Amino acid sequence: MADAMELLPWGARLAGLGFFSASFSLLALALVLLVARRWPWCSCHVCRAYLTGSWAKDFTNLGDWYAHLLRASPTGTVHVHVLGCTVTANPGNVEYMLRTRFDNFPKGKQFAALLGDLLGGGIFNVDGDAWRHQRKMASLELGSVSVRSYAYKIVAQEVETRLLPVLADAADKGKVVDLQDVFRRFAFDTICKISFGLDPGCLDLDMPMSDLAESFDAASRLSAMRGAAASPLVWKLKRFLNVGSERELRKAIRLVDDLAAAMILQRRKLGFENSHDLLSRFMASADAGAGAMDDKYLRDIVVSFLLAGRDTVASALTTLFIHLSSNPEVAAAIRAEAGAGDEDDNKPSSYEHLKGLQYTHAVLYENMRLFPPVQFDSKFCAAADVLPDGTYVAAESRVMYHPYAMGRMPSIWGADCEAFRPARWLTGPGGSFAPPSLYKYPVFQAGLRVCLGKELAITEMKTVCVAMVRSFDVEVLGENGRAGCKPKFVPGLTASISGGLPARIKRAPAPAPASDRF
């Protein structure tokens, strides 16, 4: 092509260059006019703060700014016009969206477009019949006693043979470890065993993180950046031109696809008829006539399991030990409660023993009230509607409920809503755990989309928490080690802390009597 151009006269070459430049300029002008026509220009203080990033002068995280706005709103609802989004922390609105008018507030095509490259047709990214089919299958599997027993055995084994030895080594050598990294490795190994029957062996700090885990992290972060853009035209243009973050996202997703395909192939080679992992059970149900499952469908299931079972658990465990480090009396109370049975302190508690730990259960819920692993969730309004607080929502507009902000609403939790106080969850003379209304506490979603893996996640977190607190004292270092200090979160589909969580691990003292736990 270059040789052919050189054979043309200089005048023809100049004319061709001029034509190319004019065409490019015309295309650029068309895009500018399209943006100008579609962009929701607004000069209100909320939109101005969002666009300029001036909110960061007063708030550590975007979620803290939203919490500030929602507390100041008489209805607990605000509009962010540049995003075309209604944001609410009103429990009545949450129930209306997730239960009363569920069909009018689907994920929507816009959400599917944002996360479709990563999540595909997985359960978190679809509506209608596709969602109902996956939901039914997942409910049957995750509700099975045999699956729960299988999952608990894996978690207990991972804790005893991998997690505790890693922390013991750090304690004996006086090493500082990044607890966020440790928990992400632990959760990745665990979910791969439970979901796919495969062991990536990540919880060896001398080994690099799995390529699948790293690619998934990058894809999650870059997909979340799409949702933060003031206009979808921004990321769509970048994707069309294959530049910047969209080029990086495409590369990360390609690697996720390749590694997921290899995982599915390996599962087929090993056989799935008599295996207990979730992927095998899905494959077996397809063979039994539950519906065809091609490799693309299975790939989307793999990604959905990773998102649900790895990132959320690791996030909640990381913030839990921020709270325990700055509230040693709470850690002591957990240790006293956990040591009240006939358990061997050097091994994970039995499933039945864990179920009876009411105070520990309250601690987990209180941690996730303040630091939910998924800080907000979006729906799209199919037909124009009016929320219970009187807010009008236009058709095809985005509606976001915000668990992070809801955990900081005095109207829901009282004047001490910013305080870490596990006792708020306990009632009666024995201090029994009192479950919340899921519409006030939508950490596990609520209504028809309530999290199917909730019990598995709570059991896994309880197992880790009790085993670690029995054996070690954890001292979080740096800014996050100061009482009342809010960690800085990085953009992503789940909450992860910027810079990790450096901590010093020490051997724990002998457990106190159970009567001292409160």
Side-chain angles (χ1 to χ4, degrees):
M1 183 68 179
D3 292 340
M5 286 292 292
E6 289 176 1
L7 293 175
L8 291 173
W10 69 270
R13 278 183 279 167
L14 187 62
L17 182 61
F19 176 77
F20 175 78
S21 299
S23 299
F24 183 80
S25 299
L26 185 63
L27 176 62
L29 177 62
L31 288 172
V32 169
L33 291 174
L34 181 61
V35 170
R37 184 171 66 85
R38 299 279 307 272
W39 196 284
W41 299 106
C42 182
S43 60
C44 75
H45 73 283
V46 172
C47 295
R48 193 164 55 247
Y50 185 86
L51 287 172
T52 63
S54 61
W55 60 266
K57 296 177 183 177
D58 301 309
F59 301 96
T60 306
N61 299 294
L62 186 61
D64 296 315
W65 178 60
Y66 276 127
H68 165 74
L69 295 175
L70 293 163
R71 281 195 298 265
S73 167
T75 61
T77 304
V78 297
H79 294 288
V80 184
H81 306 103
V82 294
L83 295 177
C85 184
T86 300
V87 186
T88 188
N90 186 315
N93 291 345
V94 175
E95 183 173 6
Y96 188 78
M97 293 162 55
L98 301 185
R99 185 182 68 85
T100 309
R101 291 276 285 161
F102 174 79
D103 289 335
N104 198 42
F105 291 92
K107 288 288 185 180
K109 294 179 180 178
Q110 297 94 325
F111 185 90
L114 282 172
L115 300 181
D117 292 334
L118 174 61
L119 299 183
I123 191 170
F124 300 119
N125 205 42
V126 292
D127 294 303
D129 291 340
W131 169 75
R132 290 185 180 89
H133 175 68
Q134 291 189 55
R135 175 90 180 176
K136 181 179 179 180
M137 291 188 65
S139 179
L140 289 172
E141 300 302 343
L142 291 171
S144 164
V145 174
S146 61
V147 167
R148 291 188 180 185
S149 175
Y150 168 77
Y152 174 71
K153 288 177 182 177
I154 287 175
V155 170
Q157 183 182 43
E158 285 291 303
V159 168
E160 182 180 355
T161 63
R162 286 184 172 170
L163 179 62
L164 293 183
V166 164
L167 298 175
D169 180 69
D172 294 340
K173 295 180 180 177
K175 296 191 300 186
V176 172
V177 296
D178 178 356
L179 272 187
Q180 179 169 256
D181 180 57
V182 169
F183 290 140
R184 288 166 78 83
R185 289 168 179 267
F186 166 80
F188 187 74
D189 280 356
T190 302
I191 196 61
C192 284
K193 280 189 169 184
I194 293 172
S195 297
F196 319 128
L198 304 173
D199 182 9
C202 287
L203 197 56
D204 181 342
L205 300 188
D206 295 328
M207 292 178 63
M209 181 62 90
S210 159
D211 288 341
L212 176 59
E214 289 192 335
S215 300
F216 188 80
D217 288 344
S220 172
R221 173 177 54 83
L222 295 165
S223 295
M225 286 173 59
R226 288 178 170 180
S231 170
L233 292 173
V234 175
W235 67 262
K236 287 182 179 180
L237 179 60
K238 289 167 69 177
R239 183 174 65 174
F240 176 76
L241 297 174
N242 194 29
V243 297
S245 58
E246 287 297 315
R247 181 184 180 88
E248 188 180 350
L249 175 60
R250 182 172 295 179
K251 180 180 177 181
I253 289 177
R254 188 182 300 120
L255 188 52
V256 169
D257 290 347
D258 291 344
L259 294 170
M263 184 179 291
I264 292 166
L265 179 62
Q266 185 176 359
R267 185 68 267 164
R268 281 203 172 102
K269 286 181 177 178
L270 293 174
F272 54 81
E273 288 81 2
N274 298 313
S275 299
H276 296 288
D277 63 273
L278 295 174
L279 181 60
S280 292
R281 292 173 76 97
F282 269 74
M283 288 176 164
S285 65
D287 276 10
M293 291 187 187
D294 58 20
D295 281 3
K296 172 64 171 64
Y297 187 84
L298 292 172
R299 174 265 181 211
D300 295 342
I301 289 176
V302 167
V303 171
S304 296
F305 282 156
L306 286 175
L307 180 64
R310 180 249 188 170
D311 290 18
T312 53
V313 168
S315 174
L317 287 172
T318 301
T319 54
L320 172 65
F321 279 89
I322 293 178
H323 279 133
L324 295 184
S325 177
S326 57
N327 295 273
E329 73 285 356
V330 174
I334 292 174
R335 187 176 296 131
E337 181 183 52
D342 297 327
E343 301 290 327
D344 181 345
D345 287 350
N346 294 320
K347 293 184 177 181
S349 299
S350 68
Y351 182 73
E352 290 302 318
H353 182 64
L354 286 174
K355 285 175 64 177
L357 302 180
Q358 302 289 298
Y359 182 76
T360 304
H361 206 94
V363 172
L364 295 178
Y365 268 70
E366 180 71 346
N367 170 61
M368 289 186 289
R369 178 182 71 85
L370 291 169
F371 294 126
V374 179
Q375 297 189 345
F376 63 88
D377 190 24
S378 293
K379 309 293 182 186
F380 282 86
C381 186
D385 210 332
V386 178
L387 300 178
D389 67 0
T391 301
Y392 173 78
V393 183
E396 297 298 318
S397 63
R398 183 180 173 189
V399 188
M400 177 196 301
Y401 68 91
H402 210 291
Y404 182 91
M406 292 179 75
R408 291 163 168 74
M409 296 290 284
S411 59
I412 300 175
W413 302 103
D416 67 344
C417 60
E418 298 269 8
F420 179 72
R421 191 171 67 82
R424 75 174 76 243
W425 298 93
L426 302 174
T427 185
S432 298
F433 176 79
S437 162
L438 294 181
Y439 304 108
K440 293 182 179 181
Y441 184 85
V443 170
F444 294 98
Q445 293 209 47
L448 297 179
R449 279 190 180 263
V450 68
C451 176
L452 293 173
K454 172 184 171 183
E455 297 305 321
L456 287 179
I458 290 292
T459 300
E460 182 173 356
M461 288 187 282
K462 246 185 181 178
T463 305
V464 172
C465 173
V466 168
M468 283 184 60
V469 169
R470 271 179 168 171
S471 300
F472 307 106
D473 278 329
V474 175
E475 179 190 1
V476 173
L477 306 175
E479 290 292 318
N480 292 324
R482 294 211 314 263
C485 179
K486 290 181 180 176
K488 184 174 182 179
F489 295 100
V490 297
L493 300 180
T494 54
S496 59
I497 297 172
S498 177
L501 192 70
R504 183 172 289 111
I505 312 298
K506 301 176 183 177
R507 296 281 186 176
S515 59
D516 295 343
R517 69 185 182 195
F518 304 119

